[in-house]
Amino acid sequence: MDLIARKQKPSSLQQYTRAAELAAAEVIGAYSTSFGWATKLVGKQIRVHIRNIYALVRVADEIVDGAADEALQGTQPGYTQHALDQLEAETYLAIESGFSTNLVVHAFAHTARLSGIKREIIEPFFTSMRMDIDNREYDQAGFDKYVYGSAEVVGLMCLEVYLMELDLTAHEKAEFVRGARALGAAFQKVNFLRDLAADFQKLGRSYFPGVNVASFNEEEKHRLVVDIQEDLKVSSSVLKKLPKSSRKAVAAAQMFFDELNRKIMATPAETLISERIRVSNGKKLVILIKAWIGVVP
């Protein structure tokens, strides 16, 4: 026997899973620099799982809004629906079996199996993506359903990762769920608000019930901003209770969207429907530093 113990060679499945996780990280890196920065604040043990979740979310989004539409250009009616259905079915099969030939799906399934992400919060996500294929306007019920599926459940998936090593009471878990849903809702509403014109002009969508881009005014903007502030207030009340491994990254996200919401509040309504509001890289860096040193909003 060797005097120096050799590292055990990873199994074929372990090696494949590692390759899948690297692929998921590449997907995230290609689409979101800010998200890449933020994930560096997450503890190393769970960082890979957050990337795995968001990589699947990104692929689904590209099916309904991005690369798939550009490639097809209307030449294959129904293909977008088929591709999304196929991705969803493959996701469930991978969670059940522990393997997928799709690297991003395999990475997500590995995280779901390890952290306990269930179909009950995956299915609403795909439902909301399916709504993007056909829906162009939403009533309040449709809007709430879409926000829950497209954003709140993504927060709940991440929450399963954040809390997977904790032994919580039902009340404690419910409090975290409330905060995660509120933060997810705030994220999505801020994105809708700053993309108001682009969503309508490019995609033909109007997400906010009763809001018409052509007649959008200060009163409507103020109402929407205040609603987002209330969501952020709820999420902030739970933030300090998160484990240290995830608290800094979530704090950075909270501060980023709060800053974006403040900028929207300070921007005239007529400007908001013609320009996309952004947070400068310098400000993003300040937010990341504040989160890194432990500032919790």
Side-chain angles (χ1 to χ4, degrees), residues 203-277:
L203 302 174
R205 296 183 191 141
S206 178
Y207 288 103
F208 288 114
V211 173
N212 188 316
V213 175
S215 59
F216 188 66
N217 56 43
E218 285 295 317
E219 183 179 352
E220 286 184 320
K221 184 196 76 173
H222 184 268
R223 174 175 60 83
L224 296 173
V225 167
V226 169
D227 180 52
I228 293 166
Q229 287 174 339
E230 289 303 309
D231 285 330
L232 290 171
K233 188 182 298 183
V234 171
S235 62
S236 179
S237 68
V238 181
L239 188 51
K240 292 180 181 179
K241 300 177 183 179
L242 281 171
K244 290 181 179 180
S245 58
S246 58
R247 191 185 308 150
K248 291 180 179 180
V250 178
Q254 171 99 14
M255 287 188 280
F256 172 74
F257 279 90
D258 183 55
E259 176 64 22
L260 196 50
N261 199 41
R262 291 174 188 274
K263 289 198 71 171
I264 289 171
M265 176 67 95
T267 302
E270 60 267 24
T271 302
L272 198 61
I273 61 173
S274 61
E275 296 179 14
R276 192 173 193 267
I277 306 305

Side-chain angles (χ1 to χ4, degrees), residues 42-75:
V42 181
K44 290 183 179 180
Q45 297 298 320
I46 62 174
R47 186 183 305 160
V48 64
H49 297 299
I50 301 304
R51 289 172 176 161
N52 291 348
I53 291 169
Y54 274 92
L56 182 71
V57 170
R58 183 73 253 176
V59 171
D61 196 53
E62 286 302 307
I63 290 175
V64 298
D65 279 350
D69 277 349
E70 186 177 335
L72 297 171
Q73 296 184 345
T75 59

Side-chain angles (χ1 to χ4, degrees), residues 156-174:
L156 294 179
M157 292 178 201
C158 293
L159 185 67
E160 292 295 340
V161 172
Y162 297 154
L163 305 180
M164 62 182 175
E165 294 184 359
L166 298 183
D167 184 18
L168 301 172
T169 66
H171 175 75
E172 289 170 335
K173 181 66 180 290

Side-chain angles (χ1 to χ4, degrees), residues 2 5 56 61 118 136 144 169 172 220 236 280 283 296:
D2 292 341
L56 182 71
D61 196 53
K118 305 297 184 185
R136 291 295 176 262
D144 292 341
T169 66
E172 289 170 335
E220 286 184 320
S236 179
S280 69
K283 186 63 178 179
V296 177

Side-chain angles (χ1 to χ4, degrees), residues 51-114:
R51 289 172 176 161
N52 291 348
I53 291 169
Y54 274 92
L56 182 71
V57 170
R58 183 73 253 176
V59 171
D61 196 53
E62 286 302 307
I63 290 175
V64 298
D65 279 350
D69 277 349
E70 186 177 335
L72 297 171
Q73 296 184 345
T75 59
Q76 297 183 48
Y79 181 80
T80 299
Q81 174 81 48
H82 169 72
L84 191 65
D85 291 347
Q86 191 173 38
L87 181 66
E88 182 178 14
E90 191 168 358
T91 298
Y92 299 144
L93 181 60
I95 293 173
E96 182 180 345
S97 68
F99 180 80
S100 174
T101 56
N102 181 319
L103 289 173
V104 169
V105 170
H106 181 88
F108 176 85
H110 173 66
T111 291
R113 287 165 63 91
L114 195 64

Side-chain angles (χ1 to χ4, degrees), residues 129-194:
M129 292 297 98
R130 212 167 276 114
M131 291 168 74
D132 265 341
I133 297 173
D134 299 316
N135 290 29
R136 291 295 176 262
E137 292 186 5
Y138 292 86
D139 58 15
Q140 189 61 52
F143 177 78
D144 292 341
K145 181 179 181 180
Y146 183 85
V147 169
Y148 174 71
S150 64
E152 293 180 31
V153 296
V154 177
L156 294 179
M157 292 178 201
C158 293
L159 185 67
E160 292 295 340
V161 172
Y162 297 154
L163 305 180
M164 62 182 175
E165 294 184 359
L166 298 183
D167 184 18
L168 301 172
T169 66
H171 175 75
E172 289 170 335
K173 181 66 180 290
E175 189 175 13
F176 280 121
V177 166
R178 178 171 169 263
R181 289 189 60 179
L183 190 55
F187 288 1
Q188 191 64 289
K189 291 171 187 177
V190 167
N191 284 329
F192 286 162
L193 194 47
R194 70 169 177 171

